[in-house]
Amino acid sequence: LDADAFGARCVALLCKAYLHFLTGLATLPEFDVLWLKVLRVLEAFSTAKTGEAVAETLPEHLRSMLVVMASRGLLRAPASGTPSVRGGKPRGSTTLSSALASKGLWDATMSALGGFCPQLQDVLLAEAGACSQTESRRGPPLQPPPPLPQQQRPPPLPCQPPSSSAPAVSTTATSTMGAVAGRLYAFIS
C-alpha cells in the first residue's frame, strides 16, 4: 500500500465511522469541538503531500458528512440578517472552543472549509437552504429519545469469576474476533 492509498483509506474510514456514530456523537456536550477537530484532521490530509487518491476521496466524503449533518439539523445557516463567514480561515493560535464561542458552529465550519475545500461552501449553503425549506413543511428535526429513568433500566448482570477449568479465551471468542477483524478489513477495503 502506498502512502496515497493509505491516506485515502484513512479519510474514508474516518468519515464512515463519524457518520455511523453521528446520532450518538451529536448528543455529546462537546460535539461542536469534536466536529471542528474532524475538520482539522481532514485539512491535514488535504494539505499533506499526497497524490490523487486523497484529493479525490476527501471532498467526496466531506460532502457526504456535510449533507447528512445539514439534513439532520446539526448545521444550520444563520438567519438571513446575520452575516456568514466565507473564505479562508484565520490562521493563528485560536482554540477550537474560542472559535466556536465567537462564531458558532455554522460559521466555524464555513471558515474551516474555506481554508482547504472552498468548493464545498456552496454545497453546504445549498443543502442548508434545501433543508430549511423541507423543515418548514414537516417540522423540526427529530431529537434523540430521552434516557430511560433508573427504575426502567434492566438490572445489571452479575459478574461471575471464570472457572478454573475454562480456557482464558474461548474458541468462540477467538472465532468471533476473527470475524470482526475480517469485517473491519472488508470495511476498510
Side-chain angles (χ1 to χ4, degrees), residues 128-173:
C131 289
S132 65
Q133 290 173 358
T134 304
E135 183 179 308
S136 65
R137 284 183 266 150
R138 70 174 171 176
L142 297 176
Q143 299 296 324
L148 292 174
Q150 187 65 29
Q151 64 271 20
Q152 291 181 353
R153 293 183 182 167
L157 296 174
C159 293
Q160 297 177 353
S163 65
S164 59
S165 63
V169 177
S170 69
T171 55
T172 306

